[in-house]
Amino acid sequence: MRRLWISVSALSALALLGGQLSFAGSTPAAASKPSPPQAYPADSLRALAAPIGLRIGTAVNADQLGVNEAYTKITAEQFSSVTAENVMKWSEVEPTRGTYTWEKADQLVAFAKKNKQLVRGHTLLWHNQLPAWLSSDGNTTTLSDAEVKAVLKRHIFNQMRHFKGDIWQWDVVNEAFDDNGQPRQTIWYKAWGGTGYIADAFRWAREADPKALLFYNDYNLEFTGVKSDAVYALVRSLKAQRVPIDGVGFQGHLSTQYGYPDLQNNLERFAALGLKVALTEVDVRTETKPDAVNTPVNPLAPYAQESYWSRTLQACLAVKACISFTPWGFGDAYSWVPGWFTNPQEGAALIYDEQLNPKGSYDVLQQALTLAAGAPQRSHR
Ligand code: G3I
């Protein structure tokens, strides 16, 4: 108790002294440095998480960044890590075979550097958002098996080398298993005749950028069950074969209709394999009104959502190997949820409302971080 009190007091004292905290780590900006780092509020999520080495991230909507002033300010001030919500996906970077369009992704990386943020690269290998020349549905392609293998290898090398040194964590493989814990029958699975593509992708990724942390990323790993078990078996086998995998991303797309998952247990069992873990795409949706998609049907639902947000962050805080906590965006107006979950309508899944005012779910994250000074310090590598 006493240690916690001292630590929280120290944090408050820093805040009172400087009004601002410096980026990364627990030390305030040194007076001797020629150009002080970009300042951000002492009560921002990124500042509160810095003393224990936890990165608080957000997915970034490239259409809003640099265009929408309030959106851009919150992105810079609140978060110490960013993920491209879409602009690093294959359909975005190579819409025409052999012609790369890096501009939007480059802009995000430049923004991150300017604001002292680390970048999660998302994602190198998926069955969605593939360019039309490769596959329109992720399961079929006009390319031969040999060509599919060659284009995947080329893609991983080209993309990782383009961003070499700029990406902290790469989602190398995304969502390779279905909800029944079966390997998805994607173009990758078919070309390799099994899940062997996963090991190849990680090996190529390590070669392309040896310093990046390499992640497998998926949803519903939060719940113990067939899917989480299947991914656990996969990554354990990859580790046993010395395939270079560094971490597992728990996306964390939660809904109040399914109950709260046994997340901490699952984070711990994956971490016990010698892996980093991260919450990579957190949102907490609830049933909303069809004609007001971010207004909950049940006026009590926001309290349940706040509880889920708080417990999800606390699960990460409790596990030393959990190195980042990333909501999938922050403003309800830009969330993928209302457009995707329409029967029943769900929404209101993020921590800022449609006008970019912080919600109760933002406040509980602040509170959890303020009380986290005694949580284990984590290391980024
Ligand atoms: O860019 C085109 C635009 O040119 C076109 O006019 C418009 C018409 O629909 O579509 C635009 O593309 C959309 C794209 O987002 C960019 O806004 C796609 O239709 C739309 O399907 C796409 O949705 C994204 C979704 O992944 C695709 O699967 C969401 O924004 C994004 O949040 C979501 O993110 C995924 C993670 O990558 C992986 N985990 C699950 C998560 C949620 O689905």
Side-chain angles (χ1 to χ4, degrees):
M1 247 350 255
R2 184 167 163 74
R3 195 161 61 98
L4 183 66
W5 183 82
I6 289 168
S7 301
V8 173
S9 298
L11 200 62
S12 311
L14 274 179
L16 284 173
L17 275 174
Q20 310 281 328
L21 286 179
S22 70
F23 147 82
S26 54
T27 46
S32 58
K33 284 196 177 157
S35 53
Q38 174 87 14
Y40 46 84
D43 65 354
S44 61
L45 301 178
R46 64 182 295 178
L48 294 171
I52 58 159
L54 176 69
R55 293 290 172 143
I56 305 292
T58 182
V60 176
N61 181 324
D63 294 336
Q64 300 304 319
L65 193 72
V67 176
N68 177 333
E69 200 178 321
Y71 181 98
T72 307
K73 184 170 155 53
I74 293 169
T75 307
E77 288 189 349
Q78 294 293 329
F79 303 100
S80 48
S81 165
V82 289
T83 308
E85 183 172 1
N86 285 298
V87 298
M88 287 191 188
K89 291 172 180 172
W90 200 333
S91 58
E92 298 280 333
V93 299
E94 197 189 3
T96 304
R97 192 171 180 176
T99 304
Y100 292 96
T101 51
W102 304 117
E103 290 79 5
K104 287 182 178 172
D106 286 348
Q107 284 166 11
L108 178 62
V109 170
F111 179 89
K113 283 186 184 164
K114 181 171 163 235
N115 291 290
K116 308 282 191 285
Q117 295 164 318
L118 297 181
V119 181
R120 293 198 83 261
H122 177 82
T123 173
L124 294 167
L125 189 168
W126 195 20
H127 56 277
N128 279 333
Q129 287 173 289
L130 292 170
W133 59 263
L134 175 53
S135 177
S136 55
D137 61 4
N139 304 318
T140 54
T141 179
T142 56
L143 275 56
S144 69
D145 291 348
E147 278 182 298
V148 169
K149 291 182 177 185
V151 295
L152 180 64
K153 182 173 184 181
R154 192 180 56 94
H155 173 66
I156 289 176
F157 274 92
N158 283 344
Q159 184 151 3
M160 289 189 74
R161 287 194 171 150
H162 178 81
F163 295 110
K164 193 168 184 173
D166 289 336
I167 306 291
W168 175 36
Q169 306 172 16
W170 262 115
D171 287 334
V172 178
V173 177
N174 196 44
E175 300 173 10
F177 286 82
D178 67 20
D179 291 347
N180 299 316
Q182 297 301 312
R184 290 182 194 274
Q185 306 292 301
T186 60
I187 57 170
W188 317 115
Y189 185 92
K190 289 171 184 166
W192 265 259
T195 55
Y197 70 90
I198 297 175
D200 280 350
F202 278 99
R203 290 190 181 109
W204 292 332
R206 180 67 93 225
E207 202 182 326
D209 184 355
K211 291 195 174 152
L213 291 175
L214 307 181
F215 272 66
Y216 176 86
N217 188 51
D218 214 328
Y219 61 87
N220 278 350
L221 305 182
E222 304 83 22
F223 294 85
T224 302
V226 285
K227 179 163 183 180
S228 187
D229 288 350
V231 172
Y232 179 82
L234 167 83
V235 296
R236 187 175 56 183
S237 143
L238 294 175
K239 288 289 283 182
Q241 297 168 64
R242 299 189 180 280
V243 173
I245 177 172
D246 301 305
V248 172
F250 289 61
Q251 292 185 1
H253 293 294
L254 304 179
S255 169
T256 57
Q257 67 173 307
Y258 299 124
Y260 184 76
D262 49 343
L263 173 59
Q264 190 175 326
N265 285 337
N266 279 292
L267 291 173
E268 279 168 351
R269 72 170 173 150
F270 279 80
L273 294 173
L275 293 163
K276 303 283 190 200
V277 290
L279 271 302
T280 56
E281 306 184 11
V282 184
D283 43 32
V284 182
R285 59 189 191 272
T286 198
E287 187 170 351
T288 51
K289 300 183 176 173
D291 58 348
V293 295
N294 287 310
T295 303
V297 169
N298 183 337
L300 296 178
Y303 298 110
Q305 292 175 291
E306 288 167 21
S307 167
Y308 278 41
W309 275 102
S310 180
R311 291 156 82 186
T312 303
L313 176 55
Q314 287 181 50
C316 177
L317 286 168
V319 178
K320 186 175 162 62
C322 188
I323 57 174
S324 59
F325 178 90
T326 300
W328 200 236
F330 52 87
D332 280 341
Y334 314 108
S335 168
W336 70 294
V337 167
W340 185 259
F341 298 98
T342 54
N343 186 24
Q345 181 64 53
E346 291 183 278
L350 294 173
I351 58 177
Y352 286 76
D353 69 15
E354 290 183 344
Q355 284 72 46
L356 292 179
N357 299 307
K359 294 161 54 176
S361 296
Y362 172 90
D363 297 338
V364 298
L365 297 186
Q366 252 188 342
Q367 288 160 14
L369 291 170
T370 304
L371 295 170
Q377 177 80 31
R378 37 225 82 206
S379 74
H380 285 161
R381 298 218 54 87

